[in-house]
Every structure is written in C-alpha cells, then in structure tokens.
Amino acid sequence: MPAFRNDAVRRIRQDGDFDAVVVGGGINGIATYRDLALQGLRVLLVERGDFASGCSAAPSRMIHGGLRYLENGEFGLVAESLRERDALLALAPHMVHPLPTTIPIMSFFSGLFNAAAAFAGSSGPPTSRGAVAIKIGLALYDLVTRKRRRLPRHEFRSRKKTLQKWPRLTPALRCSATYHDAWIRQPERLAVELIVDTARDAPKAIALNYAEMRHGGDGYHLVVEGMDGTLPIRPRAIVNATGAFIDVTARTLGRTGTEGQPIVSGTKGSHLILDSPELYKALNGHMIFFENRDNRVCILFPYLGRVLAGSTDIKVERPERVRCGPEERDYILEAIRSVFPGIPIDASDIVFSFSGIRPLPRSDAAFTGRISRSHFVHRIEGDPPQFCMVGGKWTTFRAFAEQTADDVLAHLGRRRTTGTLTRAIGGGRDFPGSSGRLAEQLRQRAPIDANRARHLAETYGSRAFDLLDFCSSYPDDRPLLAGLAMTEAEIAWLIRSEHVRHLGDLVLRRTDLAITGAISLDLIGALARIAARELGWSEQQAAAEQAHLIDELDAMHGVSRTTLENRCKEHPDDAYFPQSTDEPSLSERRLP
C-alpha cells in the first residue's frame, strides 16, 4: 500500500475512537467530512469504492439554481442553490465557470395553467412552457440574486435574432430567452480536492477509499482493501452519506429505523458525450436548455471540446450501478435532432456515456420531474445515532454538509468554530483571476509550452505550482504519448497525492481521458506502466487492472475494446486537447 494509506491504517489501529464516521465518499459525504474535521473533531471518511465514483461522478456537470424547480414552488431550494452556485464560482474558479444558457421557446402562452397546478401540488407531467411562463420564472430567478448579482440578467430575443445567432436551431421556435448559470469542469476532481484540503487543514482526520464499515456483535469494524483482518472502530456518531444506498446501509450498520417505508426514492439519469464539431459550433458557446417532445427538459452544451447531452429521468426500484441503455441513448439523440434538425447525429458520434441514480427523497409523484431535489437529515436513534443525508444535488453540497455537520455537532455538544462559505477549494486558493493569467505564471516558473501550461492551469488551478515542483525532480518527465499535454510525472503525482489505488481511478476520475474520448489501448498501457511502478504491482496485477478497466469502459460507458483499438490507429501521434475556458473556440482543437 502507498505510504499515506499505510499511515492511515496505522493511525486507526492505534486509536479506533472517532467523534464521527462518515460512510460514503460521494460529494455530500466528503463535504460533511471536511466540515466536521474543520471543527476540530476526529473524523473518519469511509468509501467502499473510489471517492466520487457513484452518483457524484454522473451529474449533468451543471452548477445551477434549478430554474425548473420554481415550477414546483421550491423557492427556498432555488435561493439556496443560487447562493451556492455563486459561492462555487468564487471558491473554485479553476473548476466552475459561467454558462450562458438559451431556451428556444415554441409558444407564447402555454404552460401557465400547468405551472399553477404544479405550484399547488400537482404531481402530473408538465405541458409545454410558453414565453410568458418562462418570463415569470426568469424574473424570479433574477429577483433572488438581485443583492449579490455575479452573472448577467436574462434577456429575450425575437425569432429572427435567435436564428441569426443560432441558425441551426429548429425554425419552429417563436423566440428565445438567455440566462446564466454555471458548469463544472471535472466534479470528481473537485471532490478529491476537498479531501486533499482536509488533510492539510485538519490532520487528525482520516479518509480511506476502498474500505467498508461493518457492524457485528462486538461493534463496528473496518475492512480495508489490500489489508488482512479488520480494524475495530468506535464512533460517537455515524453520518450515512451513501446516497441511493442509504436504506441498505442503514440496515447493514445494524439500524432498524428504515424498515417499512424507505427514505430514498431514486431516479436514473443518463448522459452522452458527443464528438460532433458541427453541433459544437452550432451551440455558439451556449447551453441549449430545451423541451423534448414529451415536455421533459433536456440539455446540450459545449464540454471540453465535445458536446454533453442529457438527460433521462427514470424511476428505479432498487439501488445499483447503472449504464445508459439503448432506449435512453435513442431518446437523447432524438431530442437533439428535434432542436437541431439539420445536423446529422447518430450513435457513432458518441465517445462516452455515463449514468447514475439520483438519491431523491421518497415520493409518490407520478412524474419524476415533480420529485423534490431538496435535502434533509433523517436521524435514526441508537448508540451511536445515524444521521442520514437524504436528497440534495451537486450544487448544494456545501450547504447540505453544513446542515448535517451542525446536527452532529449538536449531538456531540460541540460548537461550530468555522464556516466554509468563503473557504477556497483546492486550486481555487490564490487563483490569479483567470486560467490564462495562471498559465503565463506557470511558464515563468518552468520551461513548458503554452499547451501544457494551459492544461495545467485549467485542470489544477493554483495546485499546478505543486505539480510543477514535483515534475522538476521527477527522473524523466515526458508526455504519456506524443502530442499529449499530460506527462508521466503528472500521473505519478496524481497517484501519490490523490488516493489513487486502481487504474480506473486515473482514467475515469482523476483525469478527463475517458470522458473526452481520448483514452485508447496505447494510453491505458502507458498509464498501467506508471501505476505499476508507483503502486508496486506485479505484471499479472497490472494486466488484471488493464483488463478490468477495459471491461468497465465497455460495460458501463459504451466504449468497446474495438473502439479503444481504433483510436490507436486514428490518432497515433496526437490527442485532443480540452477547450480553453478563457479563450473559447467554436471548433475543436488539437495539439500539433
């Protein structure tokens, strides 16, 4: 095991007493772990897989106020979400960026009665939303942020002006409206940065991935992957942050408070990543937020040189790992064709897909869009008590963690000593204002070219300085493959500093190689060689890691072995480079 993992196990073996154990290393669990640790508590975070590898790895990559939640009358949730969106724009400027969002509108007056019915509590499906209903919603959106406005107010465009700006949009539209929200570059990386920050700011805290908390007759034990035996632990409070698995986890940990009616009712959401330069250009830098033919809301926006499209919203009966199925794929593709009818799009344009289960509060709503995206803490009494984090969405993770931490602090008889609303995250600390400015500073620090400087600045923010210092002492810092901005030393640094244990951690969560369609068999082999050296794998283990990753890409993300082989043939000497957030381009960029 790596030194930091050995050290964590040693510390737990020496002292198994914790003020709180957080079970579940998704974004809500990680944020709660950080918040509690900053109060001076001894906290343990336990995740049975990799950090942010479940639902937290499958969001729409939006950081938003939730415009459509106004239709359900959830004004408090929208106000909280907008506050948290603006906070993240300030706290993680290397990762969270403004996103102009345009709604093509097909009518003027439809949807008013339906919106009123939803506000009154109707759980039925929506009708098409017309210009008046959308105008009311956007006016309320602007009203909430009037005292601390960070982004522009909304504006409407006529049909003529809309088609001048987006000539490939459906000619059936009557007008359009544009407002601003935000998008997040790599949510999985932001989650890991919170853990890295916590290790620096609260060294008593311990975070372990690939570990599982179990309950037996003699108390609680920790099972750690790669370690023989178990470690006894004695928590004074348990935070159940396992998302869609909350009810299962509560029973596993010996609590009966969720028998009968479940707490959580999940819905499945799937997304596609498309390689379509024509569609990318047609978006003109905006997200298109539109209704499909069944009046469900869908999204399209430029994402790291590709196009992100989604999403579905399907009720599920039990929690499990999920993938985007053929019917969902076809649903999303058909939605794209309806809003950009002249652009040819088919399954061959898909370079990656992902899917997750949203852990929503239990609901009997007939239409999944009516299920609340709010959050609350459900306490299960016991010794120790269990605090279940129910609901929530990516944008509100900090506020939800604060609420949960306050409940745990009250149980422990402790007072809050610090907050997180103004605490920078990871590479957002000492950020110079723009990725372009940071890239210039990096080039002054080390002899790197503009492409690598931009890659480091946009991916790591101010942490790129730490990475550069590491690279300067690495024996042979060369690109993973010819033309790729990512280097061998960079991968070694990720393994040593960001809790990497398996090859999939690198490909799917610490880097954007998989989601952008850059991953290939050659690249998998190069990564495996570095990981084997850093983690002490045998040849057999390295081969097993590669085989497992290839199987996972195929089974869960629609990337077959044949696709990986073809990418080696198509791009033997170059690799896609993500789009700069400081200098947006309408065409896909490649390194020379």
Side-chain angles (χ1 to χ4, degrees):
M1 281 190 286
F4 68 82
R5 196 168 176 87
N6 280 327
D7 180 64
V9 169
R10 177 188 58 78
R11 291 163 60 194
I12 296 169
R13 183 175 284 117
Q14 288 178 347
D15 183 2
D17 292 325
F18 289 93
D19 295 308
V21 174
V22 179
V23 183
I27 187 58
N28 288 330
I30 290 171
T32 303
Y33 160 77
R34 176 185 72 146
D35 199 318
L36 288 170
L38 291 173
Q39 312 314 316
L41 302 185
R42 189 165 190 257
V43 190
L44 172 65
L45 172 66
V46 180
E47 165 55 45
R48 69 178 180 179
D50 188 23
F51 297 124
S53 61
C55 181
S56 294
S60 295
R61 266 72 180 161
M62 293 168 59
I63 300 295
H64 65 115
L67 176 64
R68 68 186 181 89
Y69 307 151
L70 290 172
E71 193 173 62
N72 297 342
E74 297 185 279
F75 296 106
L77 174 61
V78 172
E80 178 186 65
S81 299
L82 288 170
R83 182 195 68 205
E84 296 301 309
R85 178 203 69 186
D86 290 350
L88 283 170
L89 283 166
L91 303 179
H94 62 308
M95 197 92 61
V96 180
H97 309 284
L99 178 63
T101 301
T102 292
I103 308 171
I105 302 171
M106 306 301 167
S107 66
F108 289 108
F109 299 104
S110 63
L112 288 173
F113 176 78
N114 187 265
F119 184 76
S122 170
S123 62
T127 58
S128 178
R129 303 150 181 97
V132 175
I134 291 170
K135 176 67 177 179
I136 293 171
L138 291 176
L140 290 171
Y141 217 59
D142 286 343
L143 183 65
V144 171
T145 57
R146 66 192 183 282
K147 294 182 179 178
R148 46 176 176 77
R149 188 175 310 281
R150 292 184 61 90
L151 298 174
R153 293 174 178 270
H154 77 274
E155 62 175 314
F156 271 71
R157 290 183 180 87
S158 67
R159 179 180 184 276
K160 180 180 178 180
K161 290 185 176 179
T162 300
L163 292 176
Q164 285 174 346
K165 192 171 181 65
W166 294 278
R168 308 299 296 276
L169 269 175
T170 173
L173 64 83
R174 306 293 294 276
C175 61
S176 69
T178 295
Y179 69 102
H180 284 71
D181 261 325
W183 68 284
I184 180 168
R185 182 183 180 88
Q186 287 179 266
E188 306 92 336
R189 287 205 50 76
L190 187 142
V192 171
E193 286 192 346
L194 290 172
I195 295 174
V196 173
D197 287 353
T198 304
R200 178 196 62 220
D201 299 333
K204 289 194 301 183
I206 300 173
L208 274 177
N209 54 357
Y210 298 101
E212 190 171 354
M213 182 176 172
R214 295 180 181 173
H215 180 259
D218 55 347
Y220 294 98
H221 296 82
L222 200 62
V223 178
V224 181
E225 184 181 276
M227 187 199 80
D228 294 330
T230 62
L231 300 172
I233 53 176
R234 295 168 294 276
R236 297 175 61 197
I238 297 172
V239 176
N240 182 344
T242 55
F245 294 85
I246 277 177
D247 294 293
V248 175
T249 301
R251 291 190 293 271
T252 300
L253 296 180
R255 294 291 172 257
T256 59
T258 63
E259 291 182 355
Q261 289 286 356
I263 302 172
V264 171
S265 173
T267 69
K268 178 187 177 187
S270 295
H271 301 78
L272 307 177
I273 304 295
L274 301 163
D275 177 13
S276 172
E278 193 173 356
L279 180 59
Y280 184 93
K281 183 177 180 179
L283 293 172
N284 201 6
H286 281 228
M287 180 170 82
I288 301 300
F289 185 80
F290 66 101
E291 294 176 351
N292 200 3
R293 292 194 171 101
D294 59 0
N295 297 320
R296 292 180 186 270
V297 172
C298 295
I299 59 170
L300 279 171
F301 69 92
Y303 178 75
L304 303 182
R306 306 299 194 196
V307 174
L308 188 151
S311 72
T312 57
D313 195 15
I314 303 169
K315 210 160 189 176
V316 294
E317 297 301 323
R318 65 180 185 276
E320 60 185 351
R321 285 200 70 187
V322 291
R323 62 166 291 165
C324 178
E327 290 185 2
E328 293 175 280
R329 176 201 64 204
D330 294 344
Y331 174 88
I332 296 172
L333 292 176
E334 183 58 32
I336 298 170
R337 296 184 191 110
S338 73
V339 74
F340 285 102
I343 298 178
I345 293 289
D346 60 40
S348 65
D349 297 316
I350 302 170
V351 298
F352 190 80
S353 63
F354 60 93
S355 185
I357 297 179
R358 305 177 184 94
L360 307 179
R362 186 186 67 82
S363 172
D364 297 322
F367 179 70
T368 53
R370 300 296 192 207
I371 301 176
S372 174
R373 266 55 173 178
S374 63
H375 54 78
F376 63 90
V377 180
H378 175 81
R379 176 168 174 159
I380 301 176
E381 296 299 339
D383 185 19
Q386 196 175 137
F387 297 85
C388 301
M389 300 182 73
V390 181
K393 61 196 192 80
W394 236 99
T395 304
T396 57
F397 73 82
R398 190 212 63 83
F400 195 7
E402 186 175 71
Q403 175 189 351
T404 308
D406 284 342
D407 285 0
V408 174
L409 289 169
H411 163 70
L412 298 175
R414 300 283 292 267
R415 290 186 176 182
R416 173 174 291 277
T417 59
T418 187
T420 56
L421 185 59
T422 59
R423 183 180 289 267
I425 297 172
R429 177 177 291 192
D430 300 323
F431 191 73
S434 73
S435 294
R437 192 172 305 152
L438 177 58
E440 292 175 6
Q441 294 176 1
L442 293 170
R443 296 193 71 188
Q444 293 170 6
R445 173 76 70 90
I448 57 176
D449 63 28
N451 283 328
R452 177 147 174 77
R454 188 183 67 185
H455 159 69
L456 295 177
E458 294 183 353
T459 305
Y460 304 107
S462 62
R463 290 184 70 217
F465 289 110
D466 297 334
L467 172 54
L468 275 186
D469 291 343
F470 176 87
C471 290
S472 67
S473 62
Y474 195 76
D476 187 10
D477 186 21
R478 56 186 175 184
L480 283 172
L481 291 178
L484 189 66
M486 198 172 294
T487 69
E488 293 192 7
E490 183 176 341
I491 297 302
W493 181 78
L494 289 171
I495 293 171
R496 296 186 193 184
S497 63
E498 292 193 354
H499 299 264
V500 170
R501 181 160 177 80
H502 293 289
L503 194 56
D505 304 341
L506 280 170
V507 172
L508 293 166
R509 288 171 288 279
R510 303 304 185 278
T511 70
D512 61 12
L513 293 171
I515 199 168
T516 58
I519 194 64
S520 65
L521 281 185
D522 287 347
L523 207 45
I524 289 173
L527 292 167
R529 287 191 292 273
I530 301 168
R533 184 170 64 242
E534 292 291 326
L535 297 171
W537 294 344
S538 64
E539 287 187 17
Q540 294 78 8
Q541 187 174 357
E545 287 282 340
Q546 293 181 74
H548 179 78
L549 172 60
I550 292 168
D551 287 346
E552 183 172 16
L553 287 168
D554 186 12
M556 307 309 299
H557 302 289
V559 183
S560 68
R561 184 184 184 92
T562 300
T563 297
L564 295 172
E565 291 172 345
N566 289 337
R567 287 174 182 171
C568 297
K569 299 171 186 175
E570 291 169 3
H571 308 293
D573 298 316
D574 65 355
Y576 287 107
F577 193 86
Q579 177 189 335
S580 167
T581 54
D582 285 304
E583 299 175 1
S585 171
L586 298 182
S587 60
E588 192 155 23
R589 300 184 182 185
R590 290 188 184 182
L591 288 177

